[in-house]
């Protein structure tokens, strides 16, 4: 190989040498564990069993036909779709309000107040909402004082209300992400388009549908896909508030997997559930990548 070819190969490989350490960490911390989880899902109980046997797709059959796991899929999808929908609605409304022509000091103050839920950790948010929705908490006090309800409700302790309560807490925790992102998108919309539309006699509703939304479409698509993936994997909020109860009423795929691992020590079943979550997330990510082209 000539000196020129060696120099060109060296130049070609130089960027990869800079990435080598990061790629090594990525492989050790992410790629290898993912492969290991896939491997575990095809064996009977690993780790606790010194001689695990290959059983093919038996774990997948067990998991997919498990009534608790089936309910956890329904709860996860309900929790995720409701959260993403209301994150979008509330985030859009607040972003439009903050983008309005109001006093700068007032706008800055409202931005600070509205972004507060995003500053708290999931555990803190869970504790705050658990205290607020306690049978003797402020929410029940306000509702009984207003004669809306006759007696205190156990929001997290009642199977009929628990899933709605944790969804409400997650909506409150996540809308600032949408609000800030949409607000940044709104400020990038060319002002001359609104001025041209005003000359043509359009109203605010038409401006929103035909100017604002088309410019926000890439932002909204990215937000929705990312939020769907993140929300589907929420664990601390559910675990601290309900632990998946009562009677599996708030059981999510994340809490189901955690219990299989650390409560029942069914590591292979937990790996199988984790693989299913991973596949769903990858399909959504693939859809997101295709739409971003």
């Amino acid at each position: 190989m000539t000196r020129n070819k060696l120099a060109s190969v060296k130049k070609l490989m130089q960027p990869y040498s800079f990435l080598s350490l990061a790629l090594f960490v990525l492989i050790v911390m992410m790629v290898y564990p993912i492969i290991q989880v896939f491997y575990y899902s095809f064996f009977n109980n690993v780790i606790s069993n010194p001689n695990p046997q290959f059983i093919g797709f038996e774990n997948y059959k067990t998991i997919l036909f498990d009534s608790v796991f089936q309910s956890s899929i329904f709860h996860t999808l309900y929790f995720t779709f409701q959260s993403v929908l209301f994150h979008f609605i509330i985030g859009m409304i607040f972003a439009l309000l903050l983008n309005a022509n109001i006093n700068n000091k007032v706008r800055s103050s409202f931005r600070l107040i509205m972004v507060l839920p995003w500053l708290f950790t999931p555990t803190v948010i869970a504790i705050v909402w658990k205290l607020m929705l306690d049978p003797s908490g402020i929410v029940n006090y306000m509702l009984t004082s207003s004669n809306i309800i006759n007696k205190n409700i156990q929001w997290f302790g009642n199977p009929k209300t628990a899933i709605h309560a944790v969804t409400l807490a997650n909506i409150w925790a996540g809308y600032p992400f949408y609000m800030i992102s949409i607000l940044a998108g709104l400020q990038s919309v060319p002002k001359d388009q609104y001025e041209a539309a005003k000359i043509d006699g359009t109203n605010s509703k038409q401006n929103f549908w035909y100017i604002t939304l088309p410019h926000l479409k890439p932002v909204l698509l990215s937000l929705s896909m990312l939020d769907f993936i993140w929300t589907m994997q929420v664990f601390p909020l559910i675990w601290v508030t309900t632990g998946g109860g009562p009677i599996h009423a708030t059981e999510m795929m994340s809490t189901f997997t955690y219990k299989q691992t650390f409560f029942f020590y069914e590591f292979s079943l937990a790996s199988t559930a984790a693989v299913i979550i991973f596949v769903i997330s990858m399909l959504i990510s693939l859809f997101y990548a295709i739409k971003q082209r």
Side-chain angles (χ1 to χ4, degrees):
M1 187 178 290
T2 63
R3 184 176 298 178
N4 290 336
K5 287 185 177 180
L6 284 172
S8 62
V9 171
K10 185 177 180 180
K11 186 176 181 180
L12 182 65
M13 295 302 296
Q14 189 174 22
Y16 297 100
S17 65
F18 296 144
L19 294 171
S20 58
L21 181 60
L23 289 173
F24 175 76
V25 173
L26 183 67
I27 291 171
V28 172
M29 301 299 293
M30 291 188 64
V31 178
Y32 175 74
I34 290 172
I35 295 173
Q36 194 76 357
V37 167
F38 270 93
Y39 175 80
Y40 286 162
S41 68
F42 292 104
F43 287 80
N44 62 357
N45 203 13
V46 293
I47 300 178
S48 61
N49 186 353
N51 298 305
Q53 302 295 319
F54 179 81
I55 58 174
F57 289 94
E58 287 299 318
N59 287 326
Y60 290 89
K61 292 180 181 178
T62 302
I63 286 291
L64 291 174
F65 287 99
D66 186 280
S67 59
V68 177
F69 185 74
Q70 290 174 355
S71 65
S72 74
I73 294 176
F74 171 77
H75 296 150
T76 302
L77 291 177
Y78 173 85
F79 176 79
T80 302
F81 278 110
Q82 291 289 330
S83 296
V84 172
L85 175 62
F86 283 98
H87 284 164
F88 165 72
I89 294 173
I90 298 173
M92 177 65 78
I93 292 172
F94 284 166
L96 289 171
L97 290 174
L98 292 176
N99 196 51
N101 293 322
I102 56 177
N103 183 275
N104 286 333
K105 290 184 178 179
V106 174
R107 181 162 49 192
S108 299
S109 300
F110 274 106
R111 284 183 183 178
L112 178 62
I113 294 170
M114 291 177 179
V115 82
L116 281 177
W118 206 25
L119 303 180
F120 299 131
T121 63
T123 304
V124 171
I125 292 169
I127 293 172
V128 168
W129 277 92
K130 197 169 185 179
L131 291 172
M132 289 174 58
L133 295 178
D134 188 80
S136 57
I138 187 171
V139 173
N140 277 318
Y141 172 77
M142 293 174 65
L143 292 175
T144 51
S145 300
S146 305
N147 294 321
I148 297 175
I149 59 175
N150 297 323
K151 59 179 182 180
N152 292 340
I153 299 174
Q154 295 185 359
W155 298 99
F156 290 119
N158 189 331
K160 294 182 179 179
T161 59
I163 186 66
H164 307 299
V166 294
T167 303
L168 177 63
N170 190 65
I171 290 170
W172 180 83
Y175 81 83
F177 175 60
Y178 274 72
M179 182 187 71
I180 293 172
S181 302
I182 294 173
L183 181 60
L186 287 171
Q187 293 175 348
S188 66
V189 178
K191 301 298 182 184
D192 56 352
Q193 293 191 13
Y194 290 113
E195 293 171 0
K198 187 177 180 180
I199 295 172
D200 291 335
T202 59
N203 54 38
S204 57
K205 184 178 179 181
Q206 291 171 324
N207 289 343
F208 177 77
W209 282 106
Y210 297 110
I211 299 177
T212 306
L213 272 184
H215 280 91
L216 291 178
K217 186 179 177 181
V219 176
L220 296 177
L221 180 62
S222 301
L223 288 174
S224 300
M225 292 298 103
L226 292 173
D227 191 27
F228 193 96
I229 294 170
W230 294 339
T231 306
M232 194 174 66
Q233 300 174 16
V234 166
F235 175 79
L237 177 65
I238 307 298
W239 190 252
V240 175
T241 52
T242 64
I247 321 175
H248 303 296
T250 59
E251 196 76 76
M252 306 288 171
M253 288 193 287
S254 58
T255 58
F256 178 87
T257 305
Y258 180 86
K259 289 178 181 178
Q260 291 296 321
T261 306
F262 298 107
F263 280 28
F264 307 119
Y265 302 107
E266 294 285 350
F267 297 103
S268 293
L269 293 179
S271 298
T272 306
V275 168
I276 294 172
I277 297 172
F278 175 80
V279 170
I280 295 172
S281 300
M282 285 301 297
L283 289 174
I284 297 168
S285 301
L286 180 63
F287 174 78
Y288 167 72
I290 293 172
K291 287 295 183 181
Q292 285 295 93
R293 288 184 178 180

